[in-house]
C-alpha cells in the first residue's frame, strides 16, 4: 500500500473523570480505505477530532508524510490536507453549491465583491471528481441528502485534502445513495486519497475497507486486514462478548387485531391509500427507500401529521392488554369489535395506547440538558401528579423501574441524558413510553446511530414486548434489521404499499424489488405464502401473519 500518509503514535486523551484514549496507534496509507469501528464510547470520535485538529492530544504525536505535525485548529489541519466530514453535514444550505465549495476561499472581483461566475467555474471539476452532476448554481438546501454528502466531499477535496475522514457518512442515506457514496470512496482511493471510514454498519465495513482498526474502551482492541474483515471477526473485538450476527426472533403467535388501517392517505402521498392490519404480539417491519413514505405513515398514525383521508380502527374498550417496562406484564389481546379513532393530536394516540419513538432522538425524543430520570418520567407527569404539582416520589419510582428493566447504564439516575451513549439514549426514549404500558409501539429507525452491542439489547427488548402482547410496527433502512426482527414485512414504494412478505419468504432481493418498483405484489388477501401479497393481503383474513 505504500508508506504511511498519516500516522498517530501513542495518542492519549483524558477528560474529567474519563480516559477517552490510551496509547492508540493508527496508520493510513495513500490510497487506502481504513475503517475505524467500535461501540459508542470506544474513542472513535475523540481520535478523529484529534486527527482533524479539533482537539489536542494529551500524549503522543501525529506524523504527516513522515513529518511530525501539530494541528492548532481545524483550519490548520485542512491546510495540511486532512479533512473531517461529520455525520451531521456542515453546509450553508441557503447558499448554492459553488459558494459552499469556495466558502472562506472565495474568488473576488476587486477588494470587496465575490465572483460567482468564477466560483461556478472552479466548482465544476470538483463536482465531476465526486460524480455529482448538479448545477453549481443549485441551492444546497434543495438537494437530496445523498447529494449534499457529495458536496461536502467535493468541498474537502477542493481544499486539496489528501486524508479524508468520514464519520457515519451513510447513516441517513438510501441504499442507492450509499452505493453511489461507495463508488466515490473507491475512486478517491484510486486517486491516492487516504480515507478513514467510521460506521456502525459492519456490512459496509466488510464491503469497503482494506483494513479495519477496532477500538474498545479507548484502546486498540485489534486490527483486521483484507479477507479477515468479517462480521464474526469484528464483533468479539468490538464488544468483548458474543453477540449473534442476526437477532433470532422468539416465535410468538399473533393475537387479535391491535390496529387496522383502511384507506389511509398521507399529505405527502395523497394519491395512495394504505390498508393493513397489525396484530397483538407481532413485529411488522416497514421497508422501502428514503422518501417511500414510511416516516409519514408512522407520524400520521401518531397524530403528528393529519392524514387526508381514511380511518384507523382499534379494539373496543377492554379488548386488549398492555405491557410494562420489562415486558412481563400484559397478556394476549382478546378478539373483539373494532372502533374508529380520530388522532388529531398525539395526545389522542397516547390516550388510546399508542407510543412513538422518532427517528431523531436528539431533536424529537429527548430533553438533552435534563436528567435521565426527568426524561423517563415525562409521559407520566400528568398521571402521577398531586394537584397542580409533580409527584416527585412517583416520578423517581417510574425512572428507577425503567433504568432497572431496560438496563440503562447511568452513573446516577439524574445523569444528564446528553452525556449517555447512543444506545442508552435510545433506551431512555423507549422507556418513557413503556411507562404508559402501550398496546401499539411505533418505531422509526429504532437503532440509528447505535452500536452493535446496544442493537442486540434493543432487539431483545422489542422481542420481549411482542411476547407480552404489544404490537410493534417499525421502519428501518437496515436490511439485516428488517429481516432479523420482522414477522412480516410491508414494503413501501413512493407512498404506496407495494406488497407484503411473510417472514419465511422475506429476502433482501424480494424487498428491494418491491421497494424500487421492479417487483409486483400478488394476491388480494389469500394465504400470503407464495411471496409478496398485495394491500388486501395485509388486511385480509387470510393474509400473511393474520
Amino acid at each position: 500500500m505504500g508508506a504511511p500518509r498519516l500516522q498517530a503514535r501513542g495518542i492519549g486523551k483524558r477528560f474529567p473523570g474519563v480516559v477517552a484514549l490510551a496509547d492508540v496507534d493508527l496508520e493510513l496509507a495513500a490510497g487506502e480505505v481504513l475503517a475505524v469501528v467500535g461501540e459508542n464510547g470506544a474513542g472513535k470520535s475523540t481520535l478523529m477530532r484529534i486527527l482533524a485538529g479539533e482537539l489536542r492530544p494529551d500524549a503522543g504525536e501525529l506524523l504527516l508524510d513522515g513529518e511530525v505535525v501539530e494541528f492548532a485548529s481545524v483550519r490548520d489541519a485542512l491546510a495540511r490536507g486532512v479533512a473531517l466530514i461529520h455525520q451531521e453535514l456542515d453546509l450553508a444550505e441557503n447558499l448554492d453549491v459553488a459558494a459552499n465549495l469556495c466558502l472562506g476561499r472565495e474568488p473576488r472581483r476587486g477588494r470587496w465583491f465575490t465572483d460567482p461566475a468564477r466560483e461556478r467555474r472552479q466548482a465544476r471539476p470538483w463536482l465531476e471528481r465526486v460524480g455529482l452532476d448538479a448545477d453549481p448554481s443549485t441551492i444546497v438546501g434543495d438537494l437530496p441528502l445523498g447529494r449534499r454528502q457529495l458536496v461536502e466531499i467535493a468541498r474537502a477535496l477542493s481544499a486539496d485534502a489528501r486524508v479524508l475522514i468520514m464519520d457515519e457518512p451513510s447513516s441517513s442515506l438510501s441504499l442507492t445513495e450509499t452505493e453511489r457514496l461507495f463508488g466515490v470512496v473507491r475512486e478517491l482511493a484510486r486517486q491516492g486519497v487516504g480515507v478513514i471510514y467510521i460506521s456502525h454498519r459492519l456490512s459496509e465495513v466488510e464491503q469497503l475497507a482494506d483494513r479495519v482498526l477496532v477500538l474498545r474502551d479507548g484502546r486498540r482492541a485489534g486490527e483486521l486486514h483484507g479477507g479477515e474483515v468479517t462480521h464474526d471477526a469484528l464483533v468479539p473485538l468490538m464488544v468483548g462478548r458474543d453477540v449473534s450476527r442476526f437477532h433470532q426472533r422468539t416465535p410468538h403467535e399473533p393475537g387479535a387485531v391491535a390496529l387496522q388501517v383502511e384507506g389511509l392517505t398521507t399529505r405527502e402521498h395523497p394519491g395512495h391509500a394504505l390498508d393493513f392490519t397489525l396484530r397483538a404480539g407481532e413485529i411488522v417491519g416497514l421497508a422501502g427507500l428514503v422518501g417511500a413514505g414510511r416516516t409519514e405513515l408512522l407520524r400520521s398514525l401518531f397524530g403528528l401529521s393529519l392524514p387526508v383521508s381514511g380511518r384507523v380502527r382499534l379494539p373496543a374498550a377492554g379488548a386488549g392488554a398492555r405491557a410494562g417496562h420489562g415486558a412481563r406484564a400484559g397478556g394476549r389481546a382478546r378478539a373483539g369489535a373494532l372502533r374508529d379513532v380520530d388522532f388529531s393530536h398525539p395526545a389522542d394516540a397516547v390516550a388510546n395506547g399508542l407510543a412513538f419513538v422518532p427517528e431523531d432522538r436528539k431533536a424529537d425524543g429527548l430533553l438533552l440538558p435534563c436528567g435521565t430520570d426527568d426524561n423517563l418520567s415525562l409521559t407520566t407527569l400528568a398521571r402521577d401528579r398531586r394537584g397542580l404539582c409533580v409527584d416527585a416520589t412517583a416520578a423517581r419510582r417510574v425512572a428507577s423501574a425503567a433504568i432497572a428493566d431496560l438496563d440503562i447504564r447511568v452513573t446516577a439516575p439524574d445523569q444528564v441524558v446528553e452525556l449517555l451513549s447512543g444506545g442508552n439514549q435510545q433506551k431512555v426514549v423507549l422507556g418513557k413510553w413503556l411507562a404508559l404500558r402501550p398496546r401499539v409501539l411505533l418505531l422509526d429507525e429504532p437503532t440509528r446511530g447505535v452500536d452493535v452491542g446496544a442493537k442486540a439489547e434493543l432487539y431483545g427488548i422489542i422481542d420481549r414486548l411482542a411476547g407480552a402482547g404489544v404490537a410493534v410496527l417499525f421502519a428501518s433502512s437496515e436490511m439485516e434489521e428488517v429481516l432479523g426482527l420482522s414477522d412480516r414485512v410491508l414494503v413501501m414504494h413512493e407512498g404506496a404499499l407495494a406488497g407484503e412478505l411473510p417472514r419465511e419468504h422475506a429476502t433482501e432481493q424480494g424487498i428491494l424489488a418491491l421497494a424500487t418498483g421492479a417487483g409486483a405484489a400478488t394476491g388480494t388477501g389469500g394465504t400470503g405464502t407464495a411471496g409478496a401479497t398485495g394491500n388486501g393481503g395485509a388486511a385480509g383474513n387470510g393474509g400473511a401473519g393474520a
Side-chain angles (χ1 to χ4, degrees):
M1 191 66 70
R5 168 64 52 82
L6 176 69
Q7 290 176 277
R9 295 177 178 170
I11 298 297
K13 184 67 180 178
R14 299 178 66 94
F15 297 105
V18 178
V19 178
L21 294 170
D23 196 27
V24 172
D25 295 335
L26 174 147
E27 287 190 359
L28 175 71
E32 179 183 26
V33 179
L34 171 68
V36 179
V37 302
E39 293 191 278
N40 287 335
K44 304 186 300 296
S45 294
T46 300
L47 179 59
M48 296 308 113
R49 292 173 67 192
I50 289 173
L51 296 179
E54 289 188 12
L55 292 174
R56 301 289 296 274
D58 297 329
E61 61 181 4
L62 301 179
L63 293 87
L64 193 61
D65 291 324
E67 177 187 350
V68 175
V69 293
E70 292 186 9
F71 297 144
S73 65
V74 173
R75 182 184 291 272
D76 189 17
L78 189 57
R80 302 294 296 269
V82 180
L84 169 61
I85 298 177
H86 288 281
Q87 181 176 352
E88 304 299 332
L89 300 182
D90 186 22
L91 295 169
E93 296 189 359
N94 60 319
L95 300 181
D96 65 24
V97 170
N100 271 273
L101 262 63
C102 298
L103 203 59
R105 301 174 285 112
E106 298 88 347
R108 296 188 174 275
R109 290 183 299 179
R111 183 175 180 183
W112 302 107
F113 300 100
T114 62
D115 188 341
R118 282 181 61 197
E119 285 181 346
R120 290 164 190 165
R121 285 198 302 271
Q122 291 178 11
R124 290 186 188 279
W126 299 109
L127 297 178
E128 292 173 2
R129 189 174 177 187
V130 299
L132 181 58
D133 59 0
D135 189 313
S137 62
T138 304
I139 299 300
V140 165
D142 294 337
L143 292 173
L145 185 58
R147 292 189 159 215
R148 276 181 263 169
Q149 182 84 259
L150 296 179
V151 172
E152 185 86 90
I153 296 172
R155 183 169 72 173
L157 295 176
S158 71
D160 198 26
R162 294 173 293 156
V163 173
L164 192 61
I165 304 169
M166 308 179 76
D167 188 3
E168 296 285 351
S170 67
S171 62
S172 298
L173 302 185
S174 69
L175 180 64
T176 301
E177 290 169 333
T178 299
E179 290 175 347
R180 184 183 300 124
L181 174 67
F182 284 6
V184 170
V185 170
R186 293 185 182 109
E187 180 58 30
L188 292 176
R190 280 193 289 270
Q191 295 171 9
V193 177
V195 180
I196 299 178
Y197 191 93
I198 301 172
S199 179
H200 285 311
R201 297 179 175 179
L202 299 188
S203 59
E204 293 183 359
V205 172
E206 289 183 62
Q207 293 179 58
L208 197 59
D210 299 309
R211 187 164 51 90
V212 180
L213 170 65
V214 184
L215 297 180
R216 186 171 73 237
D217 299 329
R219 298 178 181 274
R220 282 178 61 104
E223 188 175 292
L224 299 173
H225 301 254
E228 299 173 342
V229 180
T230 66
H231 189 289
D232 292 340
L234 286 168
V235 171
L237 290 174
M238 290 173 60
V239 303
R241 59 188 186 278
D242 180 41
V243 178
S244 298
R245 176 167 188 170
F246 299 108
H247 172 72
Q248 297 298 320
R249 272 273 285 127
T250 304
H252 298 303
E253 190 68 27
V257 172
L259 179 142
Q260 189 173 74
V261 174
E262 297 180 355
L264 185 73
T265 58
T266 65
R267 294 189 178 276
E268 294 79 7
H269 300 282
H272 298 292
L274 306 176
D275 297 274
F276 64 91
T277 296
L278 186 64
R279 295 182 176 274
E282 71 171 346
I283 302 175
V284 176
L286 277 175
L289 304 180
V290 172
R294 296 168 300 167
T295 293
E296 292 80 6
L297 170 59
L298 294 177
R299 289 176 62 86
S300 293
L301 292 177
F302 196 63
L304 287 165
S305 177
L306 296 181
V308 175
S309 62
R311 63 177 181 171
V312 178
R313 310 186 75 202
L314 295 178
R322 299 187 181 187
H325 277 300
R328 294 185 296 267
R332 191 66 61 201
R334 300 188 302 276
L338 300 178
R339 58 189 170 90
D340 288 356
V341 292
D342 180 19
F343 295 159
S344 58
H345 190 276
D348 301 325
V350 173
N352 281 278
L354 273 73
F356 177 50
V357 175
E359 177 182 10
D360 190 339
R361 58 178 170 268
K362 292 185 177 181
D364 303 322
L366 295 168
L367 299 177
L368 291 173
C370 297
T372 302
D373 51 358
D374 292 332
N375 275 272
L376 286 166
S377 59
L378 277 175
T379 59
T380 58
L381 291 179
R383 182 192 70 187
D384 298 335
R385 67 174 185 263
R386 293 180 177 177
L388 297 178
C389 299
V390 172
D391 186 339
T393 301
R396 284 195 296 270
R397 185 167 57 247
V398 167
S400 296
I403 289 170
D405 288 338
L406 302 182
D407 191 22
I408 302 172
R409 287 154 200 161
V410 292
T411 56
D414 62 352
Q415 183 178 3
V416 174
V417 77
E418 189 172 17
L419 301 179
L420 301 182
S421 70
N424 284 303
Q425 287 181 354
Q426 194 73 349
K427 289 181 186 179
V428 172
V429 180
L430 184 59
K432 75 176 183 183
W433 289 116
L434 296 188
L436 294 178
R437 299 165 62 85
R439 294 187 184 96
V440 177
L441 182 60
L442 309 174
L443 305 170
D444 194 0
E445 301 289 352
T447 63
R448 183 185 179 214
V450 168
D451 63 58
V452 65
K455 279 185 181 182
E457 293 181 65
L458 287 165
Y459 294 161
I461 292 168
I462 294 169
D463 188 51
R464 292 197 301 273
L465 289 167
V470 177
V472 179
L473 178 65
F474 78 98
S476 176
S477 299
E478 295 195 36
M479 193 66 73
E480 288 186 7
E481 190 162 273
V482 171
L483 293 172
L485 268 182
S486 304
D487 294 307
R488 288 186 288 135
V489 180
L490 302 179
V491 186
M492 298 191 69
H493 172 66
E494 296 182 352
L497 278 178
E500 173 186 327
L501 295 166
R503 180 180 179 85
E504 60 271 22
H505 295 294
T507 65
E508 183 171 351
Q509 293 79 8
I511 290 173
L512 287 176
L514 291 170
T516 57
T522 61
T524 56
T527 62
T529 58
T533 63
N535 290 351
N541 293 335

